[in-house]
Structures are given as structure tokens and as C-alpha cells.
């Protein structure tokens, strides 16, 4: 470029001839001291020239004035410099002025220097030639940028400043964008280290619509790294120890630059001990030694390990630790099924939730311990070859079922309070103390209420008082009862709800078979659907309170069968022996048989009175005919 400018400067110096020289050239063939009166006497401007002289004059003049158009980029020669402007000659009929500020980067500007200029106007209102060096640099710059893109050239730029997501680089006077991802093959966390420095880049994209140029420095590095990567992959072997730099961290591991190729160091292969995030033991840009665990040459994936460079902690586990030994450690993880106790870095044992308490009801391990707790435990199982260990905490305390006072403390008939831990269809389990549980059957919850499910009576977590019905210490079983805390009221009910007695009852539930009645003293009875008929032939409904007659009473089954119809229908009444109408009958034996049948039918069929009435009418009709 310097040679080109020098040549152009020489061309301009010889081609640009001043007007004084043009005038002198007109008379250069005259003999000194002689005067051409013939030429002087010629009349009219331009007259008196011969054709040869006219052609010569045009040729001389055409060599001094250059034809230029607005918008062109031309070269000019510095012919003058003052405090404000630089005077430049571009070979046109007049010189142009350019502000001195546009030459601030040319500290050694002097007369005779050749520079590129942009013609803004050939002649303005003042008749002056308007030039611009700044615009010329831009036009030339875009040409150089396009050439660099077309020919895939490496160019040099100057980093002016950082911006969001990258850097602004000056290339040929044009501000180009260098994305952060294109600065280097590894992530750059501090862009400021590149500011005010030169950098080699390649043009990767040009957008003339937005005057946008994108450059990349990464492609220059990648080209060199491809050769290094190929060499590394060729010589890569399992078990090979390499040195690399940590370039990126994630929650599952770190990526390490091995010199052109990346490998993954998984979090589980960083340390024999348990870590939650790689940043606990490693840092970005740290140089580390790793071993190759596995690699896929096709996919170019490399698995690395760091803990494999140190002996396994299980190999250093003291020999005196055996099954039954007491050990101490720190809780490093708590899961739903248990907790992991770290005896030393890399040596852990599992404390299952069932081994945390003598209680038979599994609870959340977090109820017993949390991460970071210092815990003492007992070794339950130990497998040094498989490197597995199970631990227990409850073994540090005595098994409550093996205590000597269990037989006396929970003897049959003793009363206790416990917490409801679990509900089932057949009953509920109560924890009397840690490790001592008992079952309360659903039938042992209440003397008076018929409970289908324990949830109708109690909720999990509530405290309940119970009495021991049965104790089996060998099989760790306790049969408990809540209703036995009170005397059996059915012994009293047997004298109150005698057969034939009438009591007030409220219908609380009804279905197609009958209705459940609420009787005095909080007990329940049953009435068949046909025995709900009222005197006006309507049916009693839920919520009505009516008189009911007892048809059947069973203390053992805790069952009372009643009838409302029997309170108003004489057909439903049981004739008393020797009662009204007994002496009018010719065949008392038949009347006695009817009474016997009635009693048996009422007890065995829950008061099927309609069938009984029909049988009675049939037998009485037979007696009338006989009479």
C-alpha cells in the first residue's frame, strides 16, 4: 500500500501542472529577445492559433484537469496545512479543503502526503470543491471488509469497547461486532481484558441494510485446535492421565479443556466423598490432573475421573470395625427410606428408617435427623468387597419388648393412654410407648354405636385411653379395647327394652330393607320397612320420632328389633295366656299353637307380622266352621 501511495504521489506530482506553467508552455519555442508581432496583432480571443497549436494546447490542458464526479473516492496530495484545514489537490480545476480534525490519527502529516478523499460536491454555492477524508475511509473500509469476507482473509482490528454480549472492534474505520461466544473456544468471563488492544479476526457476516459487520476470533483458534484435537484423540487411551483446565461448571459435573478437546468430569468422579456441587472442591480456570475413564472416538466424548487417582477410602477402613461395632459419623444425605452416615470421606453406611426406632410405624427420617448431624450407630451388616454397610440407631437402646417389666406393666386389665398411629378397616393401632403397639378392633370401640370404620370414631394422631384384653410378649402383640373402660350397658338394657315394651325412637337412617332408630340411652335399633307403616297407611320417614314396640332383644349380638305398626295394629299384638277372648275358643290347643307360632316367628324373622296375621286368620276361620 505504501508503494502504491508513493507511485500515486509521483504520478500526481508530474501530472498536476500549475496554470503558470501552462502559460509559459505557450511561448516555450520562441527565441529570447524576439517578439511575434503577427501573433500579437491577431484579433479576437483564441484567434491566430493554427490547428496544430490548438491541438497541442488542448492536449496540455487536458493533462492538468481531471474529470471527477460526486460520490467518488480519489487520491489527493497535501499542498497546504493551516490551523484549521488541510489543502488538497486532486487534479481538479480547484483545490479542496478538509478539516484538520479528520487527520488526527496522522500525527506526522506533511505537504506531499497522498491520502484518499471522498468527493461530496464538485462545486458548492461558494464554487469550492467539497472533500471528506472520513467518508473516504468508510467507503474504502467497506471495500476492504467485503474483500476480506470473499477471500477469507485474516485482518487486524482494534477493540474500542465492550458491549452487551461481546466487543466492538474497529476494522478499517468500521465498527464491527465480536460476539462473546466468538472470542475464544472457552467461555470468557471478563471481556475487559481485550479492550484497547489489537486482535486478529475474520469477517463472518456483513449486513449492508443495517451497516452491521460480525467478526470472529474463535475461528482462528479452532483451526489450530483441530490439529491438536486430532493428535489427542489418536493417542488417547483408557487409564491415561492428562492435565487440563476447567472451562465450565454445572450441577452434574465440570468440562475440562485437554488442549483442544473437552472431557466431562462427572460429579460422582470428582471425590470419593459426597459433594452437592463441583464448586465445593473445584474452581473455574483451575488446572487439574484427570484420568481417562472412557471415550467415544466417533462422538468425540471423553469421560474423565479425578478420584480414581487416589486410593479408595474403603481400603483404609480400620479392620476392627465389624458387625456390632459402634461407629460415629456425620449425616450427609437424608432420603425417604433412610439416611446416609459418613464414617470418613468415601465410606458411608445406610441407616434405614426401620432401624431408627423400635416403633413399628415407619415415619419420615427427617423426624429423627438432618444433614450435618453427628450421629452414633451400630454396624448391622458389613461387606468390604461390595463396599456396603448398613447401620442402626435403635440398637443403642434396649428393645422395649424384652424388658422384664413388660408382663406386669401391660398385664390384662391394665389401662393405658396411647397415640393413634394407623387406621385400618378392621381396627386401629395405638402406640403406647416407642416400640410398644397394640390393636383395638373396630368392635371394641363402643358398646352402643355400630362403627363400620375407625375413622368414624377417632383420627390419626389423637390420644386414646384403652384397656389391655390380651398380651402376647413372645409375638409382640397387644389386644386392646376402648369400650371395656366402661361396664357393658347391655346388661342394663336387657331389663329396660323387654319384648313388648314401647319406647320413643327417631328414624336416623332408612333404606329398602328397613330403618335404623335412635333409642333412649344412645343405642340404636332396627325396624323392618313393613313395620314403619303408620295408622293412616303412610310410611314413617327419616327424622320422625314415633313410638316403637320391642319385638326382639339380643344382648350378645347387641340387636334390638322394633315395630311402629305393632303399637296401633291389634293384629300385631301377642295374645297373653288366659287373656281376652281365650274362653270363647272351642279349641284352646289351636290358640296355644298360634301363640307359639307367633313367638317363634317374631324371634326368627325380625317381626314379619303380615305373614303371621294371615296365618292367624286362616286358623281362626277353620275354628268357626268347625263350630
Amino acid at each position: 500500500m505504501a508503494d502504491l501511495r508513493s507511485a500515486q504521489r509521483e504520478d500526481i506530482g508530474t501530472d498536476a501542472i500549475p496554470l503558470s506553467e501552462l502559460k509559459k508552455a505557450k511561448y516555450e519555442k520562441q527565441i529570447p529577445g524576439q517578439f511575434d508581432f503577427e501573433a500579437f496583432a491577431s484579433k479576437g480571443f483564441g484567434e491566430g492559433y493554427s490547428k496544430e497549436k490548438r491541438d497541442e494546447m488542448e492536449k496540455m490542458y487536458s493533462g492538468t484537469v481531471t474529470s471527477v464526479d460526486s460520490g467518488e473516492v480519489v487520491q489527493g496530495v497535501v499542498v497546504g496545512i493551516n490551523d484549521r484545514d488541510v489543502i488538497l489537490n486532486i487534479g481538479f480545476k480547484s483545490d479542496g479543503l478538509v478539516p484538520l480534525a479528520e487527520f488526527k490519527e496522522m500525527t506526522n502529516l506533511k505537504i506531499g502526503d497522498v491520502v484518499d478523499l471522498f468527493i461530496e460536491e464538485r462545486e458548492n454555492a461558494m464554487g469550492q470543491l467539497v472533500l471528506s477524508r472520513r467518508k473516504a475511509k468508510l467507503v474504502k473500509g467497506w471495500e476492504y471488509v467485503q474483500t476480506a469476507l470473499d477471500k477469507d482473509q485474516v485482518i487486524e482490528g482494534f477493540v474500542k469497547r465492550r458491549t452487551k454480549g461481546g466487543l466492538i472492534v474497529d476494522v478499517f474505520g468500521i465498527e464491527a461486532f465480536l460476539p462473546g461466544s466468538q472470542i475464544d473456544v472457552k467461555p470468557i468471563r471478563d471481556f475487559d481484558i481485550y479492550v484497547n488492544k489489537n486482535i486478529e479476526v475474520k469477517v463472518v457476516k456483513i449486513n449492508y441494510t443495517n451497516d452491521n459487520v460480525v467478526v470472529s476470533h474463535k475461528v482462528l483458534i479452532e483451526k489450530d485446535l483441530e490439529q491438536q484435537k486430532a493428535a489427542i484423540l489418536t493417542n488417547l487411551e483408557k487409564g491415561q492421565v492428562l492435565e487440563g483446565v476447567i472451562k465450565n461448571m454445572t450441577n452434574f459435573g465440570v468440562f475440562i479443556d485437554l488442549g483442544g478437546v473437552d472431557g466431562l468430569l462427572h460429579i460422582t468422579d470428582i471425590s470419593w466423598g459426597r459433594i452437592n456441587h463441583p464448586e465445593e472442591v473445584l474452581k473455574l480456570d483451575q488446572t487439574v490432573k484427570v484420568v481417562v475413564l472412557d471415550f467415544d472416538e466417533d462422538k468425540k466424548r471423553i469421560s474423565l475421573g479425578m478420584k480414581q487417582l487416589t486410593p479408595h477410602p474403603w481400603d483404609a477402613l480400620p479392620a476392627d470395625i465389624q458387625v456390632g461395632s459402634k461407629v460415629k459419623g456425620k449425616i450427609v444425605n437424608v432420603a425417604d427410606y433412610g439416611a446416609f452416615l459418613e464414617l470418613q470421606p468415601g465410606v458411608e453406611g445406610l441407616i434405614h428408617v426401620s432401624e431408627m426406632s423400635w416403633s413399628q410405624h415407619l415415619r419420615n427420617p427427617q423426624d429423627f435427623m438432618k444433614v450435618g448431624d453427628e450421629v452414633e450407630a451400630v454396624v448391622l451388616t458389613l461387606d468390604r468387597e461390595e463396599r456396603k454397610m448398613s447401620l442402626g440407631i435403635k440398637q443403642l437402646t434396649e428393645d422395649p419388648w424384652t424388658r422384664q417389666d413388660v408382663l406386669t406393666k401391660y398385664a390384662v386389665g391394665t389401662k393405658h393412654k396411647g397415640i393413634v398411629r394407623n387406621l385400618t378397616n378392621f381396627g386401629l393401632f395405638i402406640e403406647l410407648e416407642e416400640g410398644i403397639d397394640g390393636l383395638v378392633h373396630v368392635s371394641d370401640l363402643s358398646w352402643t354405636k355400630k362403627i363400620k370404620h375407625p375413622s368414624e370414631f377417632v383420627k390419626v394422631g389423637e390420644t386414646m385411653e384403652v384397656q389391655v384384653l390380651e398380651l402376647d410378649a413372645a409375638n409382640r402383640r397387644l389386644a386392646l379395647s376402648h369400650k371395656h373402660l366402661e361396664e357393658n350397658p347391655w346388661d342394663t338394657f336387657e331389663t329396660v327394652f323387654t319384648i313388648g315394651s314401647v319406647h320413643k325412637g327417631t328414624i336416623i337412617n332408612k333404606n329398602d330393607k328397613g330403618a335404623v332408630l335412635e333409642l333412649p340411652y344412645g343405642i340404636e335399633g332396627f325396624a323392618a320397612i313393613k313395620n314403619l307403616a303408620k295408622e293412616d297407611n303412610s310410611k314413617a320417614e327419616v327424622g320422625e320420632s314415633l313410638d316403637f314396640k320391642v319385638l326382639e332383644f339380643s344382648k350378645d349380638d347387641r340387636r334390638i328389633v322394633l315395630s311402629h305398626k305393632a303399637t296401633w295394629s291389634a293384629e300385631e299384638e301377642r295374645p297373653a295366656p288366659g287373656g281376652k277372648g281365650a274362653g270363647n275358643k272351642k279349641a284352646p290347643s289351636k290358640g296355644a299353637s298360634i301363640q307359639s307360632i307367633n313367638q317363634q316367628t317374631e324371634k326368627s324373622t325380625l317381626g314379619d307380622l303380615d305373614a303371621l296375621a294371615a296365618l292367624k286368620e286362616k286358623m281362626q276361620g277353620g275354628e268357626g266352621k268347625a263350630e
Side-chain angles (χ1 to χ4, degrees):
M1 181 64 72
D3 296 339
L4 177 62
R5 289 181 176 177
S6 177
Q8 291 175 340
R9 189 182 298 113
E10 293 177 0
D11 293 340
I12 293 175
T14 54
D15 293 342
I17 303 175
L19 184 59
S20 58
E21 292 294 325
L22 292 175
K23 293 180 179 180
K24 180 178 179 182
K26 180 179 179 180
Y27 304 104
E28 62 181 356
K29 294 182 179 180
Q30 295 181 359
I31 300 174
Q34 295 182 358
F35 183 76
D36 189 353
F37 289 97
E38 181 180 355
F40 181 78
S42 299
K43 298 180 179 180
F45 181 75
E47 294 183 2
Y49 287 98
S50 63
K51 185 176 182 304
E52 291 79 6
K53 290 183 178 181
R54 184 180 297 276
D55 294 339
E56 183 181 358
M57 182 67 69
E58 288 179 356
K59 182 178 180 181
M60 293 173 61
Y61 199 80
S62 62
T64 59
V65 180
T66 305
S67 176
V68 295
D69 294 322
S70 299
E72 290 184 356
V73 177
V74 297
Q75 288 188 328
V77 180
V78 178
V79 295
I81 303 174
N82 57 34
D83 295 339
R84 296 178 56 186
D85 302 311
V86 177
I87 305 171
L88 297 121
N89 180 15
I90 63 171
F92 194 55
K93 62 181 180 179
S94 62
D95 294 336
L97 299 178
V98 176
L100 184 62
E102 295 190 20
F103 296 88
K104 58 183 179 180
E105 79 279 5
M106 297 181 64
T107 55
N108 297 323
L109 183 67
K110 60 185 181 298
I111 295 176
D113 288 346
V114 179
V115 294
D116 292 326
L117 299 168
F118 179 82
I119 300 175
E120 295 194 52
E121 293 184 67
R122 294 177 56 185
E123 187 175 356
N124 62 4
M126 302 295 294
Q128 294 179 340
L129 176 65
V130 181
L131 305 173
S132 173
R133 182 170 182 271
R134 182 181 61 83
K135 292 184 179 180
K137 289 173 62 178
L138 289 176
V139 173
K140 284 291 184 180
W142 281 104
E143 293 178 358
Y144 295 148
V145 167
Q146 185 62 55
T147 302
L149 176 63
D150 296 338
K151 297 183 178 181
D152 194 28
Q153 296 177 344
V154 178
I155 58 178
E156 187 174 279
F158 179 77
V159 181
K160 299 177 64 176
R161 64 184 182 277
R162 64 170 298 173
T163 187
K164 183 178 180 181
L167 301 170
I168 299 299
V169 182
D170 185 343
V171 288
F172 305 118
I174 299 173
E175 290 189 350
F177 178 60
L178 175 59
S181 60
Q182 295 296 317
I183 297 177
D184 205 335
V185 292
K186 60 183 179 180
I188 302 299
R189 285 168 287 279
D190 185 11
F191 292 168
D192 292 331
I193 60 175
Y194 294 93
V195 178
N196 295 326
K197 293 181 180 179
N198 292 327
I199 186 172
E200 289 186 339
V201 294
K202 275 189 176 183
V203 180
V204 295
K205 183 179 179 181
I206 299 176
N207 188 343
Y208 286 102
T209 304
N210 299 324
D211 293 338
N212 186 21
V213 178
V214 180
V215 296
S216 173
H217 178 67
K218 178 181 177 181
V219 295
L220 303 178
I221 303 176
E222 287 178 338
K223 193 172 183 180
D224 297 334
L225 291 180
E226 283 299 325
Q227 299 177 353
Q228 299 180 20
K229 182 184 292 188
I232 292 175
L233 292 176
T234 302
N235 301 322
L236 201 63
E237 296 179 358
K238 291 183 181 180
Q240 185 177 6
V241 179
L242 303 173
E243 191 175 79
V245 179
I246 298 175
K247 60 182 295 187
N248 191 20
M249 279 191 179
T250 65
N251 56 355
F252 59 84
V254 298
F255 289 94
I256 297 180
D257 183 4
L258 301 175
V261 62
D262 293 344
L264 173 62
L265 174 62
H266 198 268
I267 187 171
T268 57
D269 292 316
I270 295 177
S271 171
W272 291 114
R274 187 184 296 267
I275 59 176
N276 297 318
H277 197 279
E279 64 185 5
E280 296 178 8
V281 294
L282 300 174
K283 296 185 296 183
L284 288 172
D285 300 326
Q286 180 182 351
T287 301
V288 293
K289 286 187 176 181
V290 291
V291 60
V292 179
L293 302 180
D294 194 9
F295 70 95
D296 188 337
E297 189 172 355
D298 296 333
K299 297 181 180 180
K300 298 181 180 179
R301 293 179 180 176
I302 304 174
S303 298
L304 305 173
M306 182 181 293
K307 69 181 184 181
Q308 289 78 5
L309 297 175
T310 59
H312 199 290
W314 271 86
D315 299 335
L317 187 67
D320 58 350
I321 296 181
Q322 301 293 334
V323 174
S325 302
K326 293 182 180 180
V327 294
K328 288 184 179 180
K330 183 175 66 174
I331 300 297
V332 293
N333 188 29
V334 179
D336 294 337
Y337 53 86
F340 290 91
L341 183 69
E342 185 181 58
L343 307 184
Q344 60 189 53
V347 179
E348 298 178 3
L350 172 63
I351 306 174
H352 194 267
V353 64
S354 62
E355 303 297 338
M356 294 181 180
S357 171
W358 288 110
S359 175
Q360 299 299 315
H361 304 286
L362 297 181
R363 287 179 281 178
N364 193 329
Q366 294 182 353
D367 296 339
F368 299 95
M369 58 193 65
K370 61 182 183 297
V371 175
D373 288 349
E374 298 287 340
V375 175
E376 186 178 10
V378 176
V379 179
L380 302 181
T381 63
L382 178 62
D383 189 339
R384 292 178 180 269
E385 293 182 359
E386 295 292 331
R387 293 168 179 171
K388 292 181 180 180
M389 182 190 308
S390 62
L391 307 171
I393 294 178
K394 70 181 184 181
Q395 288 77 10
L396 296 172
T397 59
E398 185 181 2
D399 185 353
W401 280 101
T402 61
R403 293 202 310 261
Q404 296 181 356
D405 63 341
V406 169
L407 296 178
T408 56
K409 184 176 181 180
Y410 297 105
V412 175
T414 56
K415 298 178 181 179
H416 306 273
K417 284 185 177 180
I419 299 175
V420 179
R421 291 297 187 189
N422 191 22
L423 301 179
T424 66
N425 292 329
F426 55 85
L428 57 91
F429 289 92
I430 291 182
E431 186 178 45
L432 303 182
E433 64 175 272
E434 185 175 333
I436 301 293
D437 297 336
L439 170 65
V440 180
H441 196 270
V442 66
S443 62
D444 292 322
L445 290 175
S446 175
W447 288 111
T448 58
K449 295 182 180 179
K450 292 184 178 180
I451 301 172
K452 295 181 179 180
H453 194 276
S455 60
E456 302 173 8
F457 189 83
V458 71
K459 295 180 179 179
V460 174
E462 292 183 351
T463 301
M464 177 183 286
E465 190 173 359
V466 293
Q467 180 176 315
V468 178
L469 298 181
E470 183 183 348
L471 172 63
D472 186 354
N475 295 316
R476 300 171 180 257
R477 291 179 181 175
L478 267 177
L480 307 174
S481 173
H482 178 69
K483 72 180 183 181
H484 282 82
L485 295 172
E486 303 174 354
E487 294 183 2
N488 189 353
W490 285 86
D491 296 336
T492 305
F493 296 157
E494 188 176 18
T495 62
V496 175
F497 298 95
T498 58
I499 296 176
S501 61
V502 178
H503 305 273
K504 182 72 71 175
T506 303
I507 301 175
I508 59 176
N509 192 11
K510 184 179 178 182
N511 54 34
D512 56 350
K513 294 182 179 181
V516 178
L517 311 175
E518 183 180 4
L519 301 174
Y521 309 106
I523 64 173
E524 296 177 352
F526 177 79
I529 195 71
K530 58 183 66 179
N531 291 330
L532 296 176
K534 295 194 289 187
E535 194 170 0
D536 59 357
N537 293 326
S538 63
K539 295 288 184 181
E541 299 297 335
V542 175
E544 290 190 65
S545 296
L546 303 170
D547 289 333
F548 289 87
K549 181 181 286 188
V550 178
L551 301 181
E552 181 183 349
F553 181 89
S554 176
K555 182 179 71 172
D556 296 334
D557 297 332
R558 289 182 289 167
R559 184 179 65 206
I560 304 176
V561 180
L562 308 101
S563 171
H564 173 67
K565 184 177 180 181
T567 61
W568 57 268
S569 174
E571 296 177 357
E572 295 296 332
E573 295 180 355
R574 293 190 178 95
K580 184 178 179 180
N584 297 329
K585 292 185 170 47
K586 298 293 184 180
S589 60
K590 292 183 178 179
S593 64
I594 292 174
Q595 183 178 359
S596 176
I597 292 173
N598 285 344
Q599 292 176 352
Q600 293 178 4
T601 305
E602 288 175 354
K603 290 183 179 180
S604 61
T605 63
L606 300 178
D608 192 357
L609 299 181
D610 291 342
L612 179 61
L615 179 60
K616 184 176 180 181
E617 289 178 359
K618 182 177 180 181
M619 296 189 71
Q620 287 179 349
E623 289 180 358
K625 291 180 181 179
E627 291 177 355

